Amino acid sequence: MATLFIYRMSDQLDLFLFDENGNLSIPRLTETMEQRISPNHNGLISGEGFTNITTFVYDGVHCLECFCTTESSLGYYYQARVDQGNVTAERVQHSYYSKSNVKLTSEGNLIIKFDWTSEEKAKSRVKEMIESIGIELDSFRITDGMLRYIQGQYHWTSAKIDKILKDGDKTKKVSYTIDPSDTNSRSLVDEEYRDHGNMCHLAFEMPFPYSYKHRDTPSLINVKLYREGGHRIVINEDEFGNNEDLNIFQLYLTNELLRIKNESDGM
């Protein structure tokens, strides 16, 4: 499973990074990132920075993709030492470098992808490093209204509602699933509680945007949205037949979620 976090660039930007059309200049951004390449020793990452920087065009939009390496810690330990005949213990931090996949578009969208849950704690540091280039970022937030809008527009398979307030009912939160192959049946639990709390999780199927895809990539991709845990978006990388389809879907999903957020917030 891969976890995605979406950000939008704010108006507070370094003008050097813009082109004459008011879009983020991918060549200038690439040049800036190349000045902060991740150091490595015999292939082992030994510092923070960016690496494997590439550019491509998706649906007419210029994009940059790279890996961001950040320092993380497993905590402290006490290392025994002998100092002039005395045995002592030195408090040492156990640190390591983790990676995240980063995609930036000329339209101002940022996607940070983590392959493992344990890597997600580096999210704030990754955001700081990208902002240090001269970009200010606003987090994409999943809302109750947005989840309910998606539930009405797509085939959904599971949901969770919390903060339930219902007369005569002591239930505080409820999770429920439906058979993904049954598109006609109703969820009695959903009908019972959906108007009495806040939706905090929804799993649904998003159509793959194009017919020309790898034969092993399905037409419907499973997407999970979580308000809890920092507005997480989860997809299964194993569903995709190749990396090209995976990249296309991430960018398409980002555009769709931003559109849905704008429409649902305006309701």
Side-chain angles (χ1 to χ4, degrees):
M1 295 291 182
T3 304
L4 312 178
F5 295 95
I6 297 174
Y7 298 85
R8 279 284 300 166
M9 288 190 301
S10 71
D11 295 332
Q12 304 300 316
L13 299 171
D14 186 340
L15 294 179
F16 169 77
L17 296 176
F18 279 99
D19 61 22
E20 60 277 7
N21 298 317
N23 295 321
L24 182 66
S25 172
I26 296 302
R28 293 175 187 172
L29 184 63
T30 301
E31 180 183 348
T32 302
M33 283 187 165
E34 286 176 343
Q35 297 172 6
R36 308 185 185 193
I37 291 294
S38 304
N40 73 81
H41 180 69
N42 295 327
L44 184 65
I45 296 294
S46 56
E48 294 187 326
F50 305 98
T51 189
N52 287 36
I53 303 170
T54 59
T55 60
F56 61 97
V57 177
Y58 164 72
D59 205 19
V61 177
H62 292 270
C63 307
L64 178 148
E65 180 178 16
C66 69
F67 286 94
C68 179
T69 60
T70 52
E71 185 175 12
S72 299
S73 173
L74 292 175
Y76 290 85
Y77 62 94
Y78 288 87
Q79 175 67 52
R81 298 184 52 149
V82 177
D83 184 11
Q84 297 181 349
N86 297 318
V87 179
T88 62
E90 180 181 6
R91 190 170 184 255
V92 181
Q93 184 178 21
H94 186 101
S95 61
Y96 65 96
Y97 294 94
S98 62
K99 60 97 176 77
S100 60
N101 180 265
V102 171
K103 291 181 178 65
L104 267 162
T105 75
S106 58
E107 293 182 332
N109 298 334
L110 167 69
I111 307 169
I112 302 176
K113 179 173 76 71
F114 296 99
D115 296 324
W116 309 99
T117 303
S118 59
E119 294 176 333
E120 293 178 27
K121 63 182 180 180
K123 178 182 66 170
S124 296
R125 180 56 186 154
V126 175
K127 179 176 179 287
E128 287 176 5
M129 289 182 61
I130 295 173
E131 288 185 320
S132 70
I133 295 172
I135 297 173
E136 187 170 314
L137 299 168
D138 295 324
S139 300
F140 175 80
R141 297 186 176 276
I142 297 168
T143 63
D144 169 81
M146 176 184 171
L147 294 177
R148 294 181 185 277
Y149 182 92
I150 292 174
Q151 189 182 37
Q153 298 293 321
Y154 296 90
H155 179 230
W156 63 279
T157 55
S158 68
K160 180 180 179 181
I161 295 177
D162 65 3
K163 298 181 180 179
I164 295 174
L165 294 174
K166 193 170 185 285
D167 291 341
D169 193 329
K170 295 183 179 180
T171 304
K172 297 301 180 184
K173 61 179 64 177
V174 62
S175 300
Y176 47 97
T177 61
I178 60 174
D179 184 351
S181 63
D182 188 349
T183 59
N184 297 316
S185 295
R186 301 175 304 165
S187 169
L188 297 180
V189 176
D190 182 63
E191 293 180 357
E192 180 74 18
Y193 290 105
R194 68 183 302 172
D195 295 328
H196 300 280
N198 292 327
M199 188 167 289
C200 58
H201 161 64
L202 185 73
F204 68 102
E205 295 176 328
M206 172 73 77
F208 190 83
Y210 306 115
S211 58
Y212 49 93
K213 58 181 177 60
H214 192 278
R215 63 180 180 276
D216 293 331
T217 300
S219 298
L220 294 172
I221 305 297
N222 292 293
V223 180
K224 298 178 181 179
L225 304 179
Y226 298 89
R227 281 174 48 211
E228 302 167 320
H231 305 275
R232 303 166 69 244
I233 303 160
V234 178
I235 58 175
N236 184 357
E237 292 180 296
D238 292 337
E239 288 192 60
F240 299 90
N242 57 19
N243 284 332
E244 182 180 2
D245 285 356
L246 174 61
N247 286 336
I248 286 174
F249 185 76
Q250 289 178 65
L251 293 165
Y252 174 75
L253 177 63
T254 296
N255 290 337
E256 283 297 286
L257 292 179
L258 289 170
R259 177 188 64 80
I260 289 168
K261 179 72 180 297
N262 289 334
E263 291 183 6
S264 61
D265 287 352
M267 293 176 62

